[in-house]
Amino acid sequence: MSEPTRIVLEADEIPTHWYNVVADLPNPPAPPLGPDGNPATPEQMLAIFPGQILEQEMSAERWIAIPDEVREIYKIWRPSPLMRAVRLERALGTPARIFYKYEGVSPAGSHKPNSAVPQAFYNRQAGIKRLTTETGAGQWGSSIAFAGQMFGLDVRVYMVKVSYEQKPYRRLMMQTWGAEVFASPTDLTGTGRSILERDPENQGSLGIAISEAVEEAAGRADTNYTLGSVLNHVLLHQTIIGLEAKKQFDKIGLYPDVVLGPCGGGSSFGGLAFPFLADKAAGDARAKNLRCVAVEPSSCPTLTKGAYAYDFGDASGFTPLMKMYTLGHDFMPPGIHAGGLRYHGDSPLVSQLYHEKLLEAVAVPQLATFEAGVQFARSEGIIPAPESCHAIRAAIDEALVCRESGECKTILFNLTGHGHFDMSAYERYFSGGLEDYEYPAAAVLDSLAHLPRFG
Ligand SMILES: *Cc1c(COP(=O)(O)O)cnc(C)c1O
């Protein structure tokens, strides 16, 4: 009898609680710090986040209930399928079993709505009418546009000007879901106006867009700010991925030996890996030799080449300081085609677990990720997002090691999104126009010299 290749759950099997890894950390997390080096106060954060989000951000409770209203929206695309990549296994000639959790089935095409939906929900509960955010490539902006619409909230997206002009389809998705999208810098905020005064042709940056979105949220009582990765509450929401995957593996009586995911701000990686780490923390024999591996681009090697230190979350130094692996907040990663992985820092939770050697990390070069993505598309059919291609590369490499050793490992990776809006990156790959960037050691060293001196 052949083993199942598509493992699905019923809608009523969507988990009822998110898992909070803070409950199982060997050491308490380092607190975020304000600009003066003292722990950031809840009052500072309440200007831009609702109380329930802030509570989750600081919670040490192991299980946090998912509101029924959120589970109802999740049902539009969840539970997401767990798939076995049998054709890829055959193409590689590996004895390993390769599984992927496919998050590209969401309306926005990635895992990001898993957190956008609860964020919109808690903001509406708190009486908030409008949400702001920034977006670069448009993945988070489209997720929050969709989620805001589900709960009747107005959404304003500050989209980095160069992306606004180069990525009209993501912008149109946001507008289709009713969001207002502005090319940042705008003349709507003090930050934007002062930049445009000095430089009317400014093409924008994620740092500027964050500053604009935060400024607007801080200045209006009916408006809050939302962030799509890095923070503890975002990772908490994303654990729906790993919790479902565990139920799916239970159904077929298997358990992964290796769990892999692309890692930008760390939300999808933590979301898949943490529920498996919970088994390890609980002494589950199946998880004894489990390895969880974060996969990052070698051009932006935050975990593998960064420093573990307090740093700002944004380029302009507006956010509280977080203890995390960082390449320095003013590090400008090369313009690789996995926009979601071009972040100088990483989730403080992923960083701490990596520092305590409970997670591993590996960096992979751009060309090899597209090679893996194309091989995956040609064997499994799904065209992966460039970010997801990083995990596919590492999963294939694990499977190739098994081909040599004859080991029959079970490999699980996170297919975080489809690549339908990234076809121009594939075009560059096919035409030979993509390049590998060396680890920018000098730029990283330079940026690390500017780390804030706290902690
Ligand atoms: C945003 C994004 C990522 C990276 O973000 P994380 O917070 O590290 O998960 C990965 N894959 C896709 C498809 C994305 O949109």
Side-chain angles (χ1 to χ4, degrees), residues 57-196:
E57 187 60 27
M58 307 202 275
S59 171
E61 243 170 81
R62 183 170 285 106
W63 296 103
I64 294 180
I66 305 176
D68 287 341
E69 293 89 335
V70 170
R71 287 181 82 234
E72 278 309 306
I73 307 288
Y74 276 170
K75 283 178 191 167
I76 294 174
W77 75 97
R78 307 209 69 88
S80 70
L82 176 72
M83 306 286 292
R84 178 156 170 203
V86 276
R87 292 167 206 84
L88 179 64
E89 291 169 14
R90 244 176 264 140
L92 295 170
T94 178
R97 295 186 183 89
I98 305 175
F99 288 88
Y100 59 93
K101 182 74 168 154
Y102 186 39
E103 291 296 309
V105 291
S106 81
S110 76
H111 65 281
K112 287 192 171 75
N114 296 336
S115 183
V117 169
Q119 289 192 46
F121 170 74
Y122 290 120
N123 274 291
R124 203 207 43 193
Q125 287 278 95
I128 289 296
K129 302 271 186 291
R130 303 165 73 246
L131 298 175
T132 66
T133 199
E134 74 286 342
T135 201
Q139 282 275 15
W140 174 247
S142 42
S143 301
I144 202 75
F146 154 68
Q149 186 58 239
M150 292 297 107
F151 292 107
L153 296 169
D154 291 336
V155 172
R156 242 185 199 200
V157 182
Y158 291 90
M159 186 169 189
V160 178
K161 189 176 193 177
V162 53
S163 308
Y164 183 94
E165 285 161 2
Q166 288 175 358
K167 306 223 152 142
Y169 296 124
R170 280 273 166 205
R171 165 165 59 79
L172 282 159
M173 285 174 83
M174 296 184 243
Q175 289 167 335
T176 302
W177 280 310
E180 290 179 286
V181 188
F182 300 101
S184 163
T186 71
D187 58 6
L188 302 167
T189 66
T191 309
R193 280 190 297 272
S194 79
I195 287 166
L196 289 175

Side-chain angles (χ1 to χ4, degrees), residues 110-112 139 229 262-269 340-341 385 387-388 416-417:
S110 76
H111 65 281
K112 287 192 171 75
Q139 282 275 15
S229 187
C263 193
S267 72
S268 58
F269 174 67
L341 307 184
E387 292 86 356
S388 312
T416 50

Side-chain angles (χ1 to χ4, degrees), residues 361-373:
V362 61
V364 291
Q366 176 162 256
L367 284 172
T369 66
F370 277 94
E371 182 196 2

Side-chain angles (χ1 to χ4, degrees), residues 35 100 133 228 242 274 319 321 331 423 431:
Y100 59 93
T133 199
F274 289 176
T319 70
L321 298 157
F331 171 70
M423 294 321 297
S431 66

Side-chain angles (χ1 to χ4, degrees), residues 277-352:
L277 287 183
D279 290 343
K280 205 168 191 165
D284 187 325
R286 294 172 307 172
K288 189 158 172 276
N289 296 314
L290 169 75
R291 293 166 51 223
C292 295
V293 187
V295 189
E296 55 187 21
S298 45
S299 56
C300 188
T302 312
L303 292 169
T304 50
K305 299 280 168 115
Y308 188 45
Y310 270 103
D311 197 7
F312 295 108
D314 66 316
S316 338
F318 278 92
T319 70
L321 298 157
M322 292 178 291
K323 187 152 186 199
M324 59 183 176
Y325 277 86
T326 177
L327 298 169
H329 59 275
D330 53 9
F331 171 70
M332 265 291 183
I336 55 161
H337 282 271
L341 307 184
R342 291 181 72 233
Y343 182 60
H344 69 272
D346 213 313
S347 138
L349 290 176
V350 167
S351 294
Q352 183 177 343

